[in-house]
Amino acid sequence: MNILISTCSQGLIYAILALGVYITFRVLNFADMTAEGSLTLGGSTCAILISNGVDPISSVLISSMVGAIAGLATALLHTTLKMQEILAGILTMISLYSINLRIMGKANVSLIGKNTIFKMVGNTQISSFLVGLVICSLLLLGLTWFFKTQIGLAIRATGDNEQMMRAQGANTNLKKILALMISNSICAISGALISQSQGYSDVNMGTGTIVIALASIVIGEALLQKDSFIVKLISVVFGSICYRFIIFLVLTLGMNPSDLKLFTAILAAVLLSLPNIKKVIKRGVKNVGN
Amino acid sequence: MLEIKNLCKAFHKNKSDEKVIFEDFNLKIKSGEFVTIIGGNGAGKSTLMNLISGTIFPDRGKIVVEDRDVTKLPEHKRAKFIGRVFQDPLKGTAPSLTIEENLSLSMLRNSRRTLSFGVKKNNSEFFMKELEKLNLGLEKRLKTKVGLLSGGQRQALTLLMATITKPKILLLDEHTAALDPSSRDKILNLTNEIAKDEKMATLMITHNMEHALNFGNRTIMLKQGKIVFDVKGEEREKLDASEIQNSFNF
Ligand SMILES: Nc1ncnc2c1ncn2[C@@H]1O[C@H](COP(=O)(O)OP(=O)(O)OP(=O)(O)O)[C@@H](O)[C@H]1O
Ligand SMILES: [Mg+2]
């Protein structure tokens, strides 16, 4: 029972990251590598604020704003300096490594003995689960609303067909900037919660997390195939929780924890290519039929 | 309405493979005119439309719309008074959004986008009325994803989206080339209806001589960036499609 709840709450906290990544990867169609850096940025900013006595909720909010700035940096590299999206993200991500070290002053900051969002609501396993659930639900509602507004719709259309959006009178660069800022501020919130939940922030805490987010997204898509936007977002959250159970399972089955990143990457690769594999198989069957 | 003055445009400027497309190009189009544009591959027809719409910018010269110099105005700002339909039916709509959402986006062309809801309930009646005119049954499918529509249906929707806010200029770049004959005729007739608007100027590129002469009220032919042929009125009525085809063989 305990393991069930703790796995779920971990899934929920990482679901926040997956939702942030979903906005860039799926909605905007922008492969944004900044996410790993902004997760750590959120974690380190929040940890340093809390350890200096700032209350946890304000710390999370400030972290999210700092995350938005990271998104802005990538967006500007891409839109004004015309850099390729992957490269723009990698440059920001690498810079954030140094910036995070500057923020923390060292490679990690401990939160032992400090107040955290989780301690504020009782510091039991159930309460961390509830914190994750509440924040995820708020995000789901907020994002669903936002992507129904005129601006949100324009962002979705920009990801879908940028040329059309420009022909429809939209400044698509502004839409990309906005989407990247929102996405990275959400990734930073995730980082801020991760550091509070594990009790420390670490300069390497973001490494590989983008693959985890991607795996969660594709697991979710494999589970729930629906057209409505809110269901798509909910499937991301489910995907993240499922991912945690899969990891729990393979670890109990004896997988070496150091192989987890490889395992996650392969899982993501397989699920991402599933639609194409299906197509190939279908074509194969047809050819045999002929 | 639309005036192009001394326009110059070259690609790969100042490089060894410099390619001059337009040199001192001039064109004047009045409102109410429906100009069909013909010319061989590489004549510069699409480039002309890209210059008018602001997708690319000229090296020299001026583009004036209703006495306003728009030469330096970016594409998305010109879109407030320029509607466009491309050859590729996939280019004009957002496939993962619904018909209603696509139309709502095009309604917002002239206004600043805000945080109010993108799809407004009280618009749907208007959308249905407009969609009915297309005669494709789309008025019953407001909530359908555009990606599920056929090329012809998408092109009709694109045409509607391009003109729903009554632009001053409508640019059509071989917008029926990818369609089957029956969808093509439908879209052409629809175009004809829309282009009757006296306050709008329409430019339509086509490789079909008959369409070029049967539709619109003026025809120009481009060859290597120059207008080699510009007819309207009676003179145009007398022309025969096969005649032009032969005399300018391209
Ligand atoms: N972005 C570009 N860079 C370099 N050359 C270009 C570019 N766009 C167009 N050209 C060149 O400009 C010339 C005119 O092209 P354009 O597309 O305007 O022709 P077109 O009249 O529309 O032809 P078609 O009937 O084939 O559509 C061509 O030789 C083309 O190769
Ligand atoms: Mg062309």
Side-chain angles (χ1 to χ4, degrees):
Chain A
M1 187 62 194
N2 275 348
I3 285 171
L4 197 75
I5 293 173
S6 73
T7 311
C8 276
S9 42
Q10 219 190 0
L12 286 170
I13 293 174
Y14 276 90
I16 299 169
L17 171 74
L19 285 171
V21 172
Y22 186 83
I23 293 175
T24 48
F25 269 80
R26 283 290 194 242
V27 179
L28 193 63
N29 242 321
F30 186 110
D32 178 30
M33 303 296 293
T34 323
E36 295 201 348
S38 40
L39 178 118
T40 316
L41 180 65
S44 49
T45 308
C46 187
I48 212 73
L49 285 172
I50 289 180
S51 65
N52 281 302
V54 181
D55 78 279
I57 292 181
S58 318
S59 303
V60 173
L61 292 178
I62 295 170
S63 307
S64 79
M65 286 183 240
V66 181
I69 298 173
L72 177 66
T74 303
L76 290 179
L77 286 175
H78 175 68
T79 56
T80 58
L81 300 183
K82 309 286 174 220
M83 222 167 264
Q84 276 177 29
E85 52 194 56
I86 298 257
L87 188 60
I90 290 178
L91 288 182
T92 312
M93 182 181 78
I94 297 292
S95 329
L96 282 174
Y97 187 85
S98 302
I99 292 171
N100 288 328
L101 279 174
R102 283 259 175 201
I103 289 175
M104 294 190 287
K106 51 191 177 213
N108 46 56
V109 169
S110 160
L111 288 173
I112 292 171
K114 305 283 180 191
N115 195 13
T116 67
I117 266 194
F118 302 102
K119 284 185 192 162
M120 288 167 77
V121 286
N123 204 25
T124 61
Q125 273 193 328
I126 280 284
S127 67
S128 8
F129 171 74
L130 287 178
V131 169
L133 191 65
V134 167
I135 294 180
C136 268
S137 311
L138 286 178
L139 260 180
L140 282 179
L141 290 177
L143 289 175
T144 308
W145 164 76
F146 176 71
F147 282 107
K148 275 192 174 144
T149 65
Q150 296 176 351
I151 295 176
L153 217 48
I155 289 177
R156 287 167 66 192
T158 301
D160 227 14
N161 189 343
E162 188 179 349
Q163 185 181 19
M164 164 254 179
M165 237 7 236
R166 255 186 277 121
Q168 291 294 346
N171 184 343
T172 50
N173 279 345
L174 275 183
K175 305 291 171 294
K176 288 186 185 174
I177 292 172
L178 193 59
L180 278 162
M181 289 178 74
I182 294 173
S183 160
N184 281 288
S185 83
I186 294 174
C187 296
I189 293 178
S190 179
L193 292 176
I194 292 169
S195 66
Q196 293 180 59
S197 135
Q198 64 190 14
Y200 63 92
S201 76
D202 181 277
V203 74
N204 289 317
M205 67 192 268
T207 314
T209 48
I210 212 158
V211 183
I212 296 180
L214 271 182
S216 310
I217 291 171
V218 285
I219 292 172
E221 285 171 345
L223 288 177
L224 285 172
Q225 287 168 334
K226 267 278 160 54
D227 266 350
S228 98
F229 196 73
I230 187 159
V231 178
K232 283 184 179 164
L233 292 181
I234 292 172
S235 80
V236 174
V237 177
F238 271 121
S240 175
I241 295 172
C242 275
Y243 170 78
R244 288 295 148 188
F245 277 103
I246 293 172
I247 293 305
F248 172 73
L249 196 73
V250 294
L251 284 179
T252 27
L253 288 178
M255 182 183 274
N256 188 337
S258 63
D259 289 337
L260 271 186
K261 284 197 167 74
L262 176 64
F263 172 78
T264 307
I266 293 173
L267 183 69
V270 169
L271 286 172
L272 276 169
S273 54
L274 214 53
N276 291 328
I277 295 174
K278 269 189 199 154
K279 254 186 234 156
V280 171
I281 292 175
K282 250 192 206 156
R283 223 179 292 141
V285 170
K286 252 192 208 150
N287 287 347
V288 170
N290 287 346
Chain B
M1 165 69 77
L2 171 66
E3 200 175 348
I4 298 170
K5 291 185 209 162
N6 308 103
L7 188 82
C8 297
K9 177 70 190 175
F11 289 111
H12 310 293
K13 209 166 166 50
N14 301 328
K15 294 204 188 98
S16 59
D17 57 344
E18 178 173 310
K19 188 159 175 45
V20 179
I21 310 292
F22 291 112
E23 232 182 323
D24 255 330
F25 182 88
N26 291 287
L27 180 65
K28 233 180 176 173
I29 294 170
K30 292 203 276 286
S31 64
E33 270 190 319
F34 178 177
V35 185
T36 54
I37 304 177
I38 51 178
N41 294 124
K45 305 179 298 296
S46 300
T47 307
L48 179 64
M49 285 204 175
N50 288 336
L51 286 162
I52 295 173
S53 64
T55 319
I56 56 175
F57 293 91
D59 304 325
R60 257 179 302 130
K62 263 190 188 168
I63 298 169
V64 180
V65 177
E66 277 189 339
D67 299 323
R68 177 177 179 205
D69 185 349
V70 302
T71 317
K72 298 218 161 62
L73 210 61
E75 181 183 5
H76 66 92
K77 290 203 172 138
R78 285 190 217 183
K80 295 197 190 336
F81 47 83
I82 296 180
R84 246 193 133 174
V85 183
F86 306 93
Q87 175 175 353
D88 183 350
L90 306 182
K91 278 192 179 160
T93 44
S96 69
L97 301 186
T98 63
I99 293 181
E100 191 173 31
E101 286 168 333
N102 271 279
L103 285 169
S104 301
L105 283 170
S106 62
M107 287 285 282
L108 294 170
R109 251 201 229 206
N110 295 319
S111 44
R112 184 168 273 285
R113 282 163 235 271
T114 65
L115 285 177
S116 61
F117 279 112
V119 175
K120 296 223 161 51
K121 277 226 171 61
N122 49 10
N123 268 341
S124 55
E125 216 163 289
F126 170 65
F127 290 160
M128 288 207 266
K129 247 203 237 130
E130 292 292 311
L131 287 167
E132 238 166 74
K133 290 184 201 157
L134 306 183
N135 228 334
L136 292 167
L138 294 182
E139 62 277 5
K140 291 181 218 96
R141 302 174 66 186
L142 279 181
K143 305 261 186 255
T144 302
K145 292 240 143 85
V146 168
L148 300 175
L149 303 182
S150 74
Q153 290 170 329
R154 277 180 82 164
Q155 204 65 328
L157 184 62
T158 308
L159 189 57
L160 178 56
M161 287 169 66
T163 51
I164 204 161
T165 52
K166 306 267 176 243
K168 296 187 174 113
I169 299 169
L170 176 60
L171 303 176
L172 310 165
D173 190 347
E174 298 182 46
H175 69 311
T176 57
L179 307 179
D180 68 41
S182 87
S183 320
R184 187 191 64 199
D185 293 344
K186 242 181 206 163
I187 301 284
L188 276 174
N189 290 329
L190 199 63
T191 308
N192 214 17
E193 281 306 306
I194 292 170
K196 277 188 185 143
D197 185 349
E198 283 298 318
K199 290 191 223 76
M200 188 173 70
T202 307
L203 283 83
M204 178 173 94
I205 297 176
T206 177
H207 281 296
N208 184 315
M209 289 306 137
E210 290 182 357
H211 295 162
L213 291 179
N214 294 345
F215 291 92
N217 42 33
R218 179 177 170 191
T219 299
I220 63 177
M221 181 192 277
L222 282 186
K223 197 170 184 179
Q224 294 174 343
K226 292 195 172 50
I227 296 177
V228 290
F229 181 82
D230 185 348
V231 282
K232 52 184 156 191
E234 257 178 60
E235 192 189 347
R236 184 171 179 267
E237 309 266 286
K238 279 187 260 162
L239 279 174
D240 180 58
S242 54
E243 216 174 297
I244 323 184
Q245 188 100 43
N246 294 336
S247 60
F248 289 91
N249 54 55
F250 58 84

